[in-house]
């Protein structure tokens, strides 16, 4: 048996050696972390672990995009991780819009979050890097979420944990229900990493505040309700789960406000697409496919945004543009339109008659909604919104004037906005409507006078033409008569010569 002194001496030497080795390893790791990038370190360690046969970790990579479509699992993971933020993290991404009550806190890139599920741990990490690809909006940023765990829990992660993350994310989204407004480029709001930038839609318009025909409004609400409940129906009949609406009418009749009301009613995000910013059919297709489910794609003033090449026209050069009507039609109603569910497409125009008939057929624009001039029912809604009253003794007179005048809801709203007192506001509105009617009568009188003058000029021209025609006929008759007399005289002279 070794003596106690020799055992202690051996133990002391071993401990000192272990501490020395640990110190060396720590120093090497410190130097290595400063010289070798983190991603390269991870790759080297994984390779070494594989060579030693000791790799027990599994890492799932969740890309932000699946092709051109947004990866729903990425979006759900990002929302879920907000609930797992603790003070142990070193870096967070924080933001706040002017109308939000609370700060929005999300995990920053290269940060890790540890989650415990049914007794085992998982590690989430946000990774972000710029790609070499460029667009009009600058470089794309590729964002990836990595989920790491022990290999033996692979089946449980796929069958239980990730479905739980999706379910939890959907519940959080339903609670917040913040509607986003997307546009091309990055303008100080959130970015989806692609061509779209976003901000919160703070438009207060609802169906209760929209001044339009009540029957038409209810028909639209019923149509939207049928659409959002129609997943099984659309799949059964073999149609893409989308719906198209055409809003047409004079400027100021509330087309943009109606779109906001639709978004607030359905809790759908809005993608505002300016065709003038798009240079090719392929770019348009990529942008439309990258829109999220449960969204409204809006193309305003479709008749005058750009000059689209007709499908029957030949080749043309429109400032090197290669965006065509055929490309637009295929994107909204072709094979690519089936990439995504529960999408609504809205076109607006002031002149429906200027649109190509191919845009208007069912399947592209399924419901045509005429936004007309203000009616008595629309007036009641506006007065309730601006003056806070639902009945007044001046309503009958205003109803009579408003049916005679072509006045938009925007014009009525502008007049009501000037006054806080209901009596004064309605009296001034009557004066405005009378001026409007007088101006309309004067315009009609001027137009009538111009038409009469034009008619008289045409009639005068026709009289001149008739006179010239009659003169020609008279000259022709006189010439014929003269020729006949001349031939008669010649005949008589010849007869006398013969005698």
């Amino acid at each position: 048996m070794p003596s106690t002194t020799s055992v202690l001496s051996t133990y002391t030497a071993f401990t000192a050696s272990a501490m020395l080795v640990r110190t060396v390893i720590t120093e090497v790791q410190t130097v290595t972390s400063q010289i070798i990038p983190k991603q390269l370190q991870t790759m080297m360690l994984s390779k070494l672990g594989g060579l030693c046969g000791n790799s027990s970790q599994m890492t799932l990579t969740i890309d932000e995009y699946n092709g051109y479509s947004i990866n729903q699992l990425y979006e759900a993971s990002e929302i879920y991780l907000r609930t797992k933020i603790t003070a142990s993290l070193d870096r967070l991404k924080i933001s706040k819009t002017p109308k939000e009550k609370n700060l929005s806190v999300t995990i920053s890139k290269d940060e890790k979050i540890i989650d415990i599920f049914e007794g085992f741990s998982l590690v989430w990490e946000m990774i972000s890097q710029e790609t070499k690809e460029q667009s009009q909006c600058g470089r794309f940023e590729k964002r990836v979420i990595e989920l790491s765990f022990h290999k033996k829990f692979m089946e449980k992660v796929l069958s239980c944990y990730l479905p739980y993350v999706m379910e939890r994310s959907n519940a959080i989204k339903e609670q917040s229900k913040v509607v986003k407004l997307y546009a091309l480029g990055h303008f100080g709001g959130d970015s989806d990493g692609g061509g779209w930038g976003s901000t919160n839609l703070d438009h207060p318009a609802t169906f209760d505040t929209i001044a339009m025909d009540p029957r038409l409004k209810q028909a639209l609400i019923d149509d939207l309700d049928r659409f959002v409940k129609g997943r099984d129906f659309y799949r059964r009949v073999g149609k893409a789960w989308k719906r198209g609406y055409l809003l047409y009418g004079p400027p100021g009749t509330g087309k943009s406000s109606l779109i906001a009301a639709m978004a607030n009613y359905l809790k759908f995000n809005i993608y505002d697409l300016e065709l003038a910013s798009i240079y090719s059919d392929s770019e348009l297709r990529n942008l439309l496919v990258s829109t999220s489910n449960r969204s409204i794609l809006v193309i305003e003033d479709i008749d005058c945004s750009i000059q689209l090449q007709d499908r029957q026209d030949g080749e043309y050069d429109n400032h090197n543009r290669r965006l065509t009507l055929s490309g637009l039609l295929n994107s909204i109603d072709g094979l690519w339109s089936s990439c995504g569910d529960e999408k609504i497409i809205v076109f607006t125009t002031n002149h429906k008659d200027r649109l190509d008939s191919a845009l208007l057929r069912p399947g592209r624009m399924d419901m045509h909604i005429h936004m007309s001039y203000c009616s008595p029912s629309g007036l009641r809604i506006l007065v309730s919104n601006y003056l806070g009253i639902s009945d007044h003794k001046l309503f009958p007179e205003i109803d009579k004037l408003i049916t005679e005048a072509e006045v938009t809801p925007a014009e009525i709203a502008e007049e009501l906005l000037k006054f806080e007192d209901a009596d004064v506001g309605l009296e001034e509105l009557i004066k405005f409507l009378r001026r409007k009617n007088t101006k309309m009568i004067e315009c009609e009188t001027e137009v009538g006078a111009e038409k009469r003058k034009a008619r008289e000029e045409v009639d005068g021209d026709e009289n001149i033409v008739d006179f010239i025609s009659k003169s020609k006929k008279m000259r022709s008759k006189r010439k014929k008569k003269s020729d006949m007399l001349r031939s008669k005289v010649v005949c008589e002279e010849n007869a006398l010569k013969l005698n």
Side-chain angles (χ1 to χ4, degrees), residues 124-291:
W124 293 90
E125 183 175 6
M126 177 77 73
I127 299 173
S128 177
Q129 60 186 23
E130 279 192 352
T131 66
K132 296 181 179 180
E133 301 176 12
Q134 285 193 347
S135 68
Q136 282 183 282
C137 308
R139 289 182 179 270
F140 285 114
E141 185 182 27
K142 183 180 179 181
R143 298 191 292 187
V144 177
I145 295 177
E146 289 188 351
L147 176 61
S148 303
F149 50 89
H150 197 284
K151 283 184 176 181
K152 65 181 180 180
F153 299 115
M154 180 69 176
E155 184 178 351
K156 183 171 287 188
V157 169
L158 295 178
S159 62
C160 300
Y161 181 67
L162 291 180
Y164 165 75
V165 171
M166 294 286 291
E167 182 180 351
R168 186 81 179 94
S169 168
N170 291 333
I172 294 171
K173 286 197 295 185
E174 285 298 317
Q175 290 175 358
S176 58
K177 291 184 178 179
V178 176
V179 178
K180 294 283 188 177
L181 175 61
Y182 288 84
L184 296 180
H186 310 302
F187 42 87
D190 295 331
S191 167
D192 66 355
W196 298 101
S198 70
T199 185
N200 289 350
L201 178 69
D202 295 320
H203 202 297
T206 64
F207 280 116
D208 291 334
T209 61
I210 293 294
M212 63 183 294
D213 182 81
R215 292 172 297 179
L216 182 58
K217 184 191 300 186
Q218 189 58 49
L220 175 58
I221 293 174
D222 293 341
D223 192 76
L224 292 172
D225 289 338
R226 283 193 299 270
F227 171 73
V228 297
K229 296 175 183 177
R231 175 193 292 272
D232 295 334
F233 171 78
Y234 278 85
R235 186 170 294 276
R236 178 168 59 83
V237 300
K239 287 176 62 69
W241 193 10
K242 65 181 183 63
R243 192 75 173 158
Y245 297 93
L246 174 68
L247 310 184
Y248 68 98
T253 51
K255 294 185 285 293
S256 298
S257 296
L258 180 58
I259 295 171
M262 293 167 64
N264 288 330
Y265 179 74
L266 297 174
K267 299 302 178 185
F268 278 21
N269 293 330
I270 294 179
Y271 287 82
D272 183 17
L273 180 63
E274 294 183 6
L275 294 181
S277 301
I278 302 172
Y279 288 86
S280 67
D281 291 343
S282 60
E283 184 182 359
L284 173 64
R285 181 178 61 248
N286 295 347
L287 286 169
L288 296 188
V289 172
S290 67
T291 58

Side-chain angles (χ1 to χ4, degrees), residues 388-423:
I389 60 174
S390 57
D391 192 18
H392 198 275
K393 62 181 180 180
L394 295 177
F395 275 175
E397 183 179 357
I398 297 175
D399 290 345
K400 182 179 179 182
L401 290 170
I402 208 168
T403 53
E404 297 172 354
E406 292 183 348
V407 57
T408 65
E411 291 176 299
I412 297 293
E414 183 61 28
E415 291 300 316
L416 296 177
L417 190 62
K418 299 175 182 178
F419 309 98
E420 295 182 1
D421 184 86
D423 294 333

Side-chain angles (χ1 to χ4, degrees), residues 214-394:
R215 292 172 297 179
L216 182 58
K217 184 191 300 186
Q218 189 58 49
L220 175 58
I221 293 174
D222 293 341
D223 192 76
L224 292 172
D225 289 338
R226 283 193 299 270
F227 171 73
V228 297
K229 296 175 183 177
R231 175 193 292 272
D232 295 334
F233 171 78
Y234 278 85
R235 186 170 294 276
R236 178 168 59 83
V237 300
K239 287 176 62 69
W241 193 10
K242 65 181 183 63
R243 192 75 173 158
Y245 297 93
L246 174 68
L247 310 184
Y248 68 98
T253 51
K255 294 185 285 293
S256 298
S257 296
L258 180 58
I259 295 171
M262 293 167 64
N264 288 330
Y265 179 74
L266 297 174
K267 299 302 178 185
F268 278 21
N269 293 330
I270 294 179
Y271 287 82
D272 183 17
L273 180 63
E274 294 183 6
L275 294 181
S277 301
I278 302 172
Y279 288 86
S280 67
D281 291 343
S282 60
E283 184 182 359
L284 173 64
R285 181 178 61 248
N286 295 347
L287 286 169
L288 296 188
V289 172
S290 67
T291 58
S292 63
N293 293 340
R294 297 179 60 84
S295 62
I296 301 175
L297 175 72
V298 178
I299 303 178
E300 296 199 85
D301 299 321
I302 181 65
D303 57 303
C304 58
S305 55
I306 64 168
Q307 183 180 359
L308 291 172
Q309 178 190 18
D310 190 88
R311 293 177 299 173
Q312 298 177 352
D313 292 343
E315 295 184 358
Y316 78 117
D317 182 14
N318 185 13
H319 302 292
N320 296 322
R321 283 187 178 276
R322 301 188 66 181
L323 178 63
T324 64
L325 176 60
S326 178
L328 176 61
L329 297 178
N330 290 333
S331 296
I332 65 175
D333 191 33
L335 292 175
W336 287 96
S337 67
S338 61
C339 299
D341 287 332
E342 216 168 351
K343 293 187 178 183
I344 290 175
I345 302 169
V346 179
F347 289 167
T348 72
T349 179
N350 298 334
H351 306 283
K352 179 182 176 182
D353 55 320
R354 296 181 184 176
L355 300 182
D356 191 292
S357 59
L359 282 170
L360 303 179
R361 73 165 178 80
R364 289 171 181 151
M365 294 295 105
D366 304 290
M367 188 173 183
H368 297 191
I369 302 173
H370 183 216
M371 305 296 290
S372 60
Y373 292 106
C374 193
S375 63
S377 58
L379 172 71
R380 298 290 194 280
I381 296 175
L382 291 173
V383 171
S384 176
N385 292 342
Y386 286 87
L387 300 180
I389 60 174
S390 57
D391 192 18
H392 198 275
K393 62 181 180 180
L394 295 177

